[in-house]
Amino acid sequence: MRLSRFAAGIATIAALFAILTVAPASATLLGVENQIGLPDISYGTGSVFTYNASTDLATLSANATQLTGPPPPGTVQTIDGAFPNVTLQFLVDNSGNFIGGIAGSDLVVNGTSTGSYGSFGSPLLTAEVTNFGFANGPTDPGSSWFDVLLTVTGGSLATSAGSGLIVGQTIGITIIGEGTGNRGPFNFNNNIAVGQLHGTAKGDIGAISAVPEPTSLLLLGSGIAGLALRRRRSSVR
């Protein structure tokens, strides 16, 4: 009896691992809008989000104009340079499932910024995408249509002492559509711009609070497995 229960427990754990270790894919927003904080890079007028269904390539070409430092007091200073100065590219299928990043840096923020927060050269920030989410409908919390999680890999903001960003830190991007689309159900024709695969956008790039990622979930699964094994050994005794 004990052996059969143990076998059933192992089967349950195996199923849990199967769920937790699949490639990241999101059926909803990741919650970046409610987690994003300072420092923060804001982008807006002239920014465009596009999707190529034949190559699965999603691209945000954005105009970042403002850098807000961490409190206190949350100093705001301009970002100078030729627009567009933000390029974000990653792969996602036409159902909204995240596939992966591209060769090279997935996110590059160029330009310079000087003010009481500090002086930062180009590139300001580089990062790699780890997950992508989207709104299922207009009633989803917040105003984001899409959001993205990334890991910082470099840039002057990540290497300057006291910048509030470090290499390896998780950051997030919100993408709010300004075109003729809507916020779900997910369909790139609707979510970016009706009848087109592009739309104007605005949003923020910034540090976020901890968000569960596949690695964390894997550790959780490992912990459950360990507890099951410990219980099995106790029962045998």
Side-chain angles (χ1 to χ4, degrees):
M1 179 66 72
R2 287 179 177 176
L3 183 60
S4 63
R5 287 178 180 174
F6 178 67
I10 292 298
T12 301
I13 292 168
L16 177 63
F17 271 114
I19 294 171
L20 297 179
T21 57
V22 294
S26 180
T28 186
L29 289 168
L30 303 172
V32 170
E33 185 172 340
N34 295 325
Q35 300 276 352
I36 202 163
L38 300 176
D40 174 275
I41 296 170
S42 300
Y43 67 89
T45 304
S47 301
V48 178
F49 188 48
T50 65
Y51 177 68
N52 186 323
S54 62
T55 62
D56 293 324
L57 182 65
T59 301
L60 174 67
S61 181
N63 297 336
T65 58
Q66 181 174 292
L67 170 65
T68 304
T75 303
V76 177
Q77 58 192 57
T78 60
I79 296 176
D80 301 309
F83 296 135
N85 57 358
V86 176
T87 301
L88 170 69
Q89 291 189 306
F90 57 94
L91 301 175
V92 57
D93 69 22
N94 58 15
S95 295
N97 298 310
F98 176 62
I99 298 173
I102 62 167
S105 296
D106 298 340
L107 171 71
V108 179
V109 181
N110 287 313
T112 60
S113 184
T114 300
S116 57
Y117 173 38
S119 296
F120 307 99
S122 190
L124 294 170
L125 194 67
T126 61
E128 298 297 320
V129 176
T130 59
N131 211 346
F132 164 77
F134 56 86
N136 279 327
T139 59
D140 281 10
S143 56
S144 296
W145 290 22
F146 309 96
D147 57 7
V148 182
L149 287 175
L150 310 92
T151 300
V152 175
T153 58
S156 61
L157 282 170
T159 56
S160 298
S163 72
L165 292 171
I166 58 174
V167 171
Q169 180 176 349
T170 298
I171 62 173
I173 299 179
T174 59
I175 302 174
I176 302 172
E178 294 189 300
T180 56
N182 59 60
R183 300 180 69 232
F186 183 81
N187 179 312
F188 268 115
N189 284 322
N190 293 327
N191 297 138
I192 297 183
V194 174
Q196 308 170 56
L197 293 183
H198 71 277
T200 57
K202 64 181 180 180
D204 294 276
I205 305 167
I208 63 170
S209 305
V211 173
E213 301 226 33
T215 301
S216 302
L217 295 174
L218 184 57
L219 290 174
L220 173 62
S222 299
I224 293 172
L227 288 173
L229 182 58
R230 182 175 179 180
R231 184 173 181 179
R232 160 63 178 158
R233 287 174 175 170
S234 298
S235 298
V236 171
R237 289 174 184 172

